[in-house]
């Protein structure tokens, strides 16, 4: 006959489950509190006017299909282009994965924006943005950015903004409400944020991880910012 667990055993099991739940949710709380007041949804009328002016829009990669930006990445790029045309940013820092020759997110991002009238002269490509933490750290250490607007989807925004702020950037965020267009994909991705944010917390707050490629220092963003300000969309802008 199997003996039933004692009350003490059940109490300890319950306490263990509570502790595990708290530990699992702690990174999400860190991300939400760290980005509070520094993120906005890029959807409603007038959202651009409410965004602060920053040096650059940091656009994070989100996958390619047949060599072209995925639907979510294309939406990020459209938001970044709107920020540029509105004069809210002077440069676009396109950070993505180019870990193998046949997969080149930054170049695909540049080509997409180029086809929509954004001048090459304001676009800076980071080919080693393998994850959000790497993109944020490299924006600060490698490209010398100080104040950026991170562009991504709304479900990713708390983690992205908090990581960039932890990396030493004065970061704000503009997020696409992807649930309006791609509900199923958004909900799956949002569920993964629990695990992604736990890894992000470990990288940023515990391990203080370096990027896969921590250098050398790039001057391409500095050159864009040092140029005389021009009207967005003007020849040579």
């Amino acid at each position: 006959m199997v003996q039933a667990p004692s009350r003490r055993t059940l109490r300890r099991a319950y306490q263990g489950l509570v502790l595990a739940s708290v530990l699992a949710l702690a990174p999400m709380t860190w991300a939400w509190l760290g980005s509070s007041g520094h993120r906005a949804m890029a959807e409603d009328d007038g959202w651009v006017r409410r965004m602060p002016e920053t040096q650059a829009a940091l656009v994070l990669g989100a996958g390619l299909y047949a060599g072209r930006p995925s639907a979510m990445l294309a939406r990020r790029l459209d938001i970044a282009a709107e920020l540029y045309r509105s004069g809210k940013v002077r440069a676009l820092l396109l950070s993505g994965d180019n870990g193998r020759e046949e997969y080149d997110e930054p170049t695909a991002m540049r080509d997409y924006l180029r086809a929509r009238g954004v001048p090459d002269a304001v676009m800076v490509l980071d080919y080693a943005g393998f994850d959000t933490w790497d993109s944020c750290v490299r924006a600060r250490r490698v490209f010398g950015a100080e104040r950026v607007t991170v562009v991504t989807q709304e479900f990713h925004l708390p983690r992205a903004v908090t990581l960039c702020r932890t990396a030493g950037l004065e970061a704000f965020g503009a997020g696409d409400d992807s649930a309006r267009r791609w509900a199923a994909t958004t909900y799956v991705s949002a569920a993964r944020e629990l695990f992604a944010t736990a890894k992000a917390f470990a990288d940023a707050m515990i391990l203080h991880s370096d990027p896969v490629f921590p250098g050398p220092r790039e001057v391409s963003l500095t050159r864009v910012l040092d140029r005389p300000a021009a009207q967005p969309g003007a020849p040579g802008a």
Side-chain angles (χ1 to χ4, degrees):
M1 179 175 172
V2 178
Q3 186 176 2
S6 67
R7 290 173 61 99
R8 185 177 182 182
T9 300
L10 291 173
R11 186 185 306 115
R12 287 182 174 176
Y14 173 75
Q15 291 171 341
L17 287 173
V18 171
L19 178 60
S21 298
V22 170
L23 292 176
L25 292 175
M28 295 294 291
T29 303
W30 164 75
W32 276 87
L33 292 179
S35 62
S36 179
H38 304 290
R39 47 185 159 82
M41 189 185 302
E43 294 291 340
D44 55 326
D45 292 339
W47 73 269
V48 174
R49 292 194 302 273
R50 295 191 294 273
M51 295 298 297
E53 292 186 12
T54 64
Q55 294 172 318
L58 173 59
V59 189
L60 304 173
L64 303 178
Y65 291 104
R68 297 182 179 181
S70 66
M72 284 192 176
L73 179 53
R75 179 60 185 142
R76 296 181 189 187
L77 295 167
D78 290 339
I79 291 170
E82 192 169 355
L83 288 168
Y84 168 71
R85 295 187 185 109
S86 301
K88 292 294 185 176
V89 300
R90 293 186 58 194
L92 304 181
L93 178 53
L94 312 178
S95 183
D97 185 350
N98 183 210
R100 56 189 190 277
E101 185 176 354
E102 69 276 11
Y103 189 86
D104 186 350
E105 280 187 317
T107 297
M109 294 158 76
R110 180 203 62 195
D111 292 347
Y112 179 94
L113 289 167
R114 177 192 285 165
R116 284 151 183 80
V118 177
D120 283 14
V122 303
M123 291 190 280
V124 176
L125 278 59
D126 177 10
Y127 294 98
F130 297 123
D131 63 16
T132 304
W133 176 239
D134 279 22
S135 293
C136 292
V137 173
R138 284 177 54 82
R140 182 72 188 97
R141 293 186 195 170
V142 176
F143 293 92
E146 297 176 352
R147 182 178 168 91
V148 301
T149 300
V150 187
V151 183
T152 183
Q153 267 66 46
E154 185 186 16
F155 64 81
H156 180 213
L157 207 56
R159 174 163 62 97
V161 172
T162 298
L163 282 176
C164 281
R165 295 183 75 84
T166 303
L169 291 160
E170 186 178 2
F172 304 86
D176 163 49
D177 183 11
S178 55
R180 295 186 182 184
R181 302 173 181 82
W182 313 287
T185 302
T186 296
Y187 297 144
V188 171
S189 298
R192 290 174 179 165
E193 278 298 298
L194 182 64
F195 304 100
T197 305
K199 178 183 179 300
F201 181 83
D203 281 338
M205 304 301 292
I206 300 173
L207 303 174
H208 305 289
S209 303
D210 284 328
V212 175
F213 293 106
R217 185 66 179 262
E218 293 265 356
V219 297
S220 46
L221 178 62
T222 303
R223 287 174 178 166
V224 175
L225 299 176
D226 284 347
R227 295 173 65 226
Q231 292 296 321

